[in-house]
Amino acid sequence: MRLQRQGETLAGQPWPVDAAAFPGWDGTVAGAFALQAQLAESLLLRDDFRTPLRRIAGVDVGFEDEGRTTRAAAVLLDADTLQPLTEVIARRATTMPYVPGLLSFRELPAVVAALSALPQVPDLVVCDGQGIAHPRRLGIAAHVGIATGLPTLGAAKKRLVGVHDAVGPQRSDRTPLLDARSQEPIGWVLRSKDGCNPLIVSPGHRVSLATSVELVLRWTRRYRLPEPTRLADRLASRRGGSASPQHSLL
DNA sequence: GCGACAG
DNA sequence: ATCTTGTCGC
């Protein structure tokens, strides 16, 4: 990789801009950083969702054609039984490369398309990735929340930023994820299953720090990932599992 | 300058 | 994320 001047991207040129999804973005890294910081100011970090929750959704992304096509899967499930009600898939041409910290610029368009294809609006959305546990507090879960207005939270398999103590070995054991500089809490490191690596949980939009972990724990059954994200992950990654409604659109 | 770095 | 077999452990 070669040098990079101000206003340019890693490839030396601005990326194609999706005006609808990223209003005002100039396609540069600097512009993306500024947009993230600005959007993060609109995040509501208090519980502001329908109770009791009835239908929740899980979203995840996979790729086809050696990465040329982005495939987003959204699964709507009953908030109590966690049984899948509907599954949809949306495809979009991939426009951006993966850049740590800019994941939403690559996956958001397809994710929003998939959520829009659901027959009913979910009360809360679980995303595969960070919420506010991000350099500028706008991980994909937070961005999806701002873009759709829906309550969201992120359940990531790995840490992007933040520091934390060791986590206990038992399911439900957790430790706060803190901003390395301010020491402010930005999420949790949660042992969702015995013997498995912990999850990094953080609120996205309209969900509090305290509630984000409780919900992820409540929605995690016999696997490491919470059901919403686990099911969406299976769909997006072209894997199967058990029988369930397959309302594929697109 | 040297690592770290969601999916 | 994706390419992929076997293998160790609950």
Side-chain angles (χ1 to χ4, degrees):
Chain A
M1 198 169 293
R2 63 163 220 272
L3 288 187
Q4 167 187 359
R5 292 194 315 247
Q6 277 289 318
E8 289 189 336
T9 67
L10 297 179
Q13 286 292 312
W15 288 304
V17 177
D18 184 324
F22 312 109
W25 183 39
D26 61 4
T28 67
V29 172
F33 278 28
L35 180 56
Q36 291 183 316
Q38 182 210 314
L39 294 178
E41 293 176 12
S42 301
L43 291 171
L44 182 60
L45 297 178
R46 310 190 318 248
D47 291 325
D48 178 42
F49 48 80
R50 182 187 192 295
T51 48
L53 289 164
R54 288 181 102 207
R55 285 178 296 274
I56 56 178
V59 291
D60 191 25
V61 169
F63 296 88
E64 306 175 350
D65 308 310
E66 302 170 335
R68 287 187 294 271
T69 301
T70 299
R71 175 180 54 223
V75 178
L76 187 70
L77 41 180
D78 182 288
D80 293 314
T81 68
L82 296 187
Q83 291 307 301
L85 303 171
T86 311
E87 305 186 323
V88 297
I89 287 180
R91 292 183 173 73
R92 287 292 182 278
T94 303
T95 60
M96 299 229 339
Y98 165 67
V99 179
L102 296 183
L103 180 66
S104 62
F105 285 75
R106 175 175 163 84
E107 307 187 340
L108 191 68
V111 167
V112 171
L115 286 173
S116 301
L118 286 174
Q120 305 179 89
V121 179
D123 296 326
L124 188 153
V125 180
V126 181
C127 301
D128 187 274
Q130 318 295 339
I132 62 170
H134 175 281
R136 290 163 296 284
R137 302 290 182 275
L138 200 82
I140 185 147
H143 203 156
V144 168
I146 292 299
T148 65
L150 298 173
T152 62
L153 69 80
K157 293 181 290 298
K158 293 195 283 188
R159 179 193 67 87
L160 174 60
V161 296
V163 295
H164 64 84
D165 293 332
V167 199
Q170 313 246 288
R171 168 186 154 84
S172 86
D173 280 344
R174 75 205 66 170
T175 188
L177 178 66
L178 312 172
D179 178 289
R181 293 200 54 174
S182 69
Q183 291 296 96
E184 286 183 298
I186 55 176
W188 301 89
V189 181
L190 171 71
R191 187 77 66 187
S192 57
K193 176 181 179 180
D194 290 19
C196 288
N197 291 320
L199 253 33
I200 304 298
V201 178
S202 62
H205 187 41
R206 301 172 59 181
V207 177
S208 69
L209 215 34
T211 300
S212 64
V213 238
E214 295 312 322
L215 292 180
V216 170
L217 196 56
R218 176 192 308 173
W219 296 334
T220 300
R221 295 302 185 229
R222 44 178 307 206
Y223 300 94
R224 178 164 87 119
L225 300 181
E227 290 301 290
T229 290
R230 188 181 73 81
L231 295 176
D233 184 276
R234 281 192 341 188
L235 239 193
S237 299
R238 272 272 170 279
R239 276 173 289 175
S242 57
S244 53
Q246 300 276 319
H247 300 176
S248 275
L249 279 63
L250 297 186

